Amino acid sequence: MTDPHYRIAVIAGDGIGPEVTAAAQRVLEATGERFGFAVEWDPIVAGGAGIDAYGTSLRDEDLDRCAAADAVLLGAVGGPKWDDPAAPARPEQALFTLRKGLGLFANLRPVSVEPALIGSSPLRPARLRGVDLLIVRELTGGLYFGKRKEAAAEGAKRAASDSLPYTEAEIRRIVRLAFQLARGRRGRVTSVDKANVLATSRLWRTVATEVATEFRDVVLEHRLVDSCAMELITHPSAFDVIVTENLFGDILSDEASVLAGSIGMLPSASLGERKTAHGIFGLYEPVHGSAPDIAGQGKANPLGAVLSAALLLRWSLGRADAAGAVERAVRSTLAAGHRTADLLGSADQGTAISTAAMTDALVAHVRGQFPPVAVPATKPPGPFRGRATGPKR
Ligand code: IPM
Ligand code: MG
C-alpha cells in the first residue's frame, strides 16, 4: 500500500448512512490519489444494522476496532424498524457507546453558508451574510448519560425521569477547548445555558467565567438557551464559537442547519484527548440522521458526510492540504450549480441530481478535471481554514 497510509473504521449504519459514507469514501480515495496517501477501510456493522446482524447495536470487539483505527467515519443510525420504545436494543446506543467508550467529549459542528446556497435557506439573504459559527457541543455528559428511570409498561400513574449531571471537570475541558478554538477564529465565545433554572447551568456559567480568565484575548458572553435559539435565526452572523451542554447543543445545531440551507450540509467532528501518530483521534459524521423516507433512492445529499471527511483529514490525519482540497471541491461543485433535492430552494430553477452524480462531480473537482469555476471571493467553508493543525493542548 502507498505510504503513508491511514486506517479508517467505517460505520455506514442505517437509512441513507451507507449512501453518504460511500460518497465520502470515494472522495477520500480520490484525495489520497492526488496527495499521495492510501486509506485502508475497516467496515463495521453497527446501529440498526448491528441489531439485525448480531442482536446488539455495537459489539465490544467492534468498539475495539474503532479505537485501533486512526479515525472513525460514521453515516447515520436508526429508523422506524427499530423504533419500538419497548425494544431492549436501540440503534442510537451505538452512538452513545462510541462517544463515551472512545472518550469523545467534544462535538464540533461548524456552520457556514456557502455563497451558492444562500437561496436554499428560508431566511432572508441579508441575515445570512457573514455567517460562520462553530457549535462546540459537550458530548459525553448531561441528560444523555445521567440516571434514567423508564416508566413502567402499564399502570395508572406512570412516571419516568432523566437526570442532568455535570462535574466541574467535564465543563472545564469543553469550555477550554471552545476558548482555544475561538483563538484561531474571531475570538468570541458564547456560553449557552439555562442558569435561571438549572443548577448544572449555574455551575456551567461559573466555570466558564473562570476559564475566561485564562484567555484574556477572547471575549466571553453568557446567553440563555431560549434567547440563543432566537438570536441564532435573527442575528446568526454575530456568533463565533458557541459552547454548550449536550442536549442544548443537539437542538441548537439542528436549528443552525437552517442557515446552511439544509441539514444535509453540516459535518461534525467528535474529539477526545487521545493523540494518534497523525493527529487527534476522532469520529466524524454528518449532523443529519438516517432519513429513512429517502433511503436507498440515491437522493441523499452526501456533502455533510464529505465535509465530515474533510474534518477527519484535518484533525485526525493532519492533512490540511487534502482537507482544503475537499472543501474547495464542495464549494466549486455547488458553484457549478449541482444540487441534490434538499438544496433546491424555492428560487432555484434547476433539477436535482443524485447522490452518485454529486459524488462524481466532487471527485472530478478533487482530481482537478474541471476548469475552476468563478466563485465569489469568500473564505472556504469550515471553522479551521488556514490552520494547519488542531488546537494546542
Ligand atoms: C445527533 C443526533 C443524536 C443525538 C441522536 C441520533 C441520538 O441527533 O448526533 O445530533 O441526539 O446526539
Ligand atoms: Mg441531533
Side-chain angles (χ1 to χ4, degrees), residues 109 137 250 254 287:
R109 298 184 160 186
R137 169 188 176 193
D250 178 45
D254 269 36
V287 171

Side-chain angles (χ1 to χ4, degrees), residues 124-360:
R124 282 202 288 276
R127 295 235 160 125
L128 299 172
R129 205 164 294 132
V131 169
D132 176 15
L133 58 93
L134 173 64
I135 297 177
V136 179
R137 169 188 176 193
E138 202 291 325
L139 203 58
T140 52
L143 277 164
Y144 282 66
F145 295 94
K147 268 210 199 87
R148 208 178 304 293
K149 195 172 161 293
E150 300 288 341
E154 49 196 65
K157 292 185 179 150
R158 283 179 294 181
S161 67
D162 300 279
S163 59
L164 197 176
Y166 266 111
T167 66
E168 168 176 358
E170 286 173 315
I171 300 169
R172 197 173 295 278
R173 67 181 176 180
I174 190 77
V175 174
R176 264 205 188 119
L177 176 63
F179 273 86
Q180 282 160 353
L181 292 167
R183 268 193 176 151
R185 298 171 47 94
R186 302 200 306 278
R188 190 174 179 83
V189 170
T190 304
S191 171
V192 177
D193 60 40
K194 187 70 184 173
N196 52 353
V197 180
L198 303 173
T200 41
S201 280
R202 289 189 278 275
L203 178 62
W204 187 284
R205 199 170 269 222
T206 304
V207 172
T209 304
E210 288 166 10
V211 170
T213 63
E214 300 166 27
F215 296 84
R216 299 281 183 201
D217 50 330
V218 176
V219 177
L220 168 67
E221 152 193 63
H222 299 284
R223 197 172 270 284
L224 296 172
V225 63
D226 45 356
S227 131
C228 180
M230 186 179 67
E231 284 294 309
L232 205 46
I233 290 298
T234 51
H235 301 101
S237 63
F239 292 98
D240 182 14
V241 175
I242 294 175
V243 62
T244 191
E245 66 93 45
N246 206 340
L247 183 66
F248 296 163
D250 178 45
I251 297 169
L252 292 178
S253 55
D254 269 36
E255 186 192 357
S257 76
V258 176
L259 306 168
S262 163
I263 196 161
M265 289 301 300
L266 294 199
S268 86
S270 301
L271 305 173
E273 259 148 16
R274 188 157 66 80
K275 297 237 170 67
T276 66
H278 313 291
I280 299 174
F281 177 79
L283 178 148
Y284 301 82
E285 58 179 317
V287 171
H288 65 71
S290 62
D293 53 324
I294 58 161
Q297 299 173 29
K299 288 185 183 165
N301 179 352
L303 297 181
V306 168
L307 289 169
S308 299
L311 296 179
L312 184 159
L313 285 164
R314 185 170 282 120
W315 284 84
S316 286
L317 305 184
R319 300 298 307 226
D321 53 352
V326 172
E327 288 164 350
R328 283 193 299 278
V330 168
R331 168 152 296 189
S332 311
T333 301
L334 291 170
H338 301 291
R339 301 281 184 277
T340 42
D342 57 310
L343 296 175
L344 284 178
S346 47
D348 277 301
Q349 302 298 320
T351 45
I353 62 167
S354 69
T355 312
M358 184 69 115
T359 311
D360 290 342

